[in-house]
Amino acid sequence: MSAWLRDREHTTDIFALLREESRDHVAEVTPPGAGWLASARAHPRSALSQWEDRPTAPAVLPCGTVFDVVNVPTVFGRRMLDRLWREGPGSGPVAMHRGRMMLFAAPGTAQRLPSLLDWEVGVPTGRSPRGRGEAVPPLICHGTGDAVTVPPLTPSETALAPRWLVAPDTRHPWLPGPEVLLWACVRAARDGARISIFPPAEQDAKVYDVSRRR
């Protein structure tokens, strides 16, 4: 086991830390979460070895087997997360990269979600659902055959580096499927005027408030 993983096993669970009131914490990957991410590769031990050498470097992981990723604009993504955490089951891991939000989802989501959205809204994404609310922006769905850049295990000092909003903290994290993300997309588009749990003046804040997680 790597030295980084041994050290992280003795730290407090990140979600327990984030639930503490009046404290700010950067979401970091736990050792079980690192194992889950590494399992997306054909050779997980090699991935863990690379992370041991460079824990502050991002990694490229394949989609389609362990997870899919739904890539959305930041503002719309925050509205989706607001619904998922305030009214729904919460979310799986979530990352920020290049001004967009990456929601980790159950395998198969990338294939099904676009067609479900087209059916639910009645028109392709990028237009208002059934003439109400705001538009559902075009989504980038990464599935089988795709790969994504994931944030480093520990926060980087580089401002533009990918970072975690909700870091993986377990070897088997819960991942939303296409139906859950469909619900979040439609609610975010139809009800964009609701007050968000995210501070509007700090859209680039590094901490995701999980105090409302169910």
Side-chain angles (χ1 to χ4, degrees):
M1 180 182 294
S2 72
W4 177 86
L5 292 175
R6 286 196 300 269
D7 291 342
R8 295 302 297 169
E9 281 186 337
H10 298 290
T11 62
T12 307
D13 176 75
I14 187 65
F15 287 104
L17 285 174
L18 290 174
R19 279 194 292 268
E20 295 181 20
E21 296 182 357
S22 302
R23 293 187 62 182
D24 290 337
H25 303 275
V26 176
E28 298 181 20
V29 180
T30 64
W36 173 72
L37 288 171
S39 69
R41 285 190 175 177
H43 304 286
R45 291 185 179 180
S46 175
L48 290 174
S49 177
Q50 292 175 13
W51 281 332
E52 177 183 5
D53 294 336
R54 301 183 63 191
T56 59
V60 177
L61 298 178
C63 301
T65 302
V66 175
F67 54 77
D68 282 359
V69 170
V70 177
N71 189 318
V72 301
T74 300
V75 174
F76 190 81
R78 288 186 179 274
R79 291 176 179 171
M80 288 179 63
L81 285 183
D82 186 38
R83 274 71 190 167
L84 286 168
W85 288 92
R86 183 186 294 274
E87 305 165 12
S91 72
V94 181
M96 290 289 300
H97 185 41
R98 294 182 176 176
R100 293 181 67 91
M101 186 175 293
M102 300 164 53
L103 292 90
F104 285 68
T109 299
Q111 181 179 3
R112 294 189 58 199
L113 181 59
S115 58
L116 288 176
L117 267 172
D118 288 349
W119 178 85
E120 173 67 24
V121 230
V123 293
T125 56
R127 297 179 59 186
S128 298
R130 303 189 191 277
R132 296 183 294 172
E134 297 184 7
V136 176
L139 308 180
I140 303 174
C141 296
H142 304 281
T144 303
D146 299 325
V148 295
T149 300
V150 302
L153 300 184
T154 58
S156 172
E157 298 297 329
T158 305
L160 298 179
R163 57 184 174 81
W164 292 105
L165 293 182
V166 181
D169 73 323
T170 173
R171 189 61 176 77
H172 301 285
W174 178 81
L175 298 173
E179 293 82 4
V180 173
L181 292 180
L182 168 69
W183 171 84
C185 282
V186 173
R187 290 298 295 270
R190 293 180 178 176
D191 196 21
R194 289 189 57 176
I195 298 176
S196 173
I197 61 175
F198 300 102
E202 301 178 3
Q203 293 188 357
D204 293 328
K206 294 183 179 180
V207 177
Y208 176 66
D209 179 8
V210 297
S211 62
R212 297 180 180 272
R213 190 181 191 193
R214 297 186 179 185

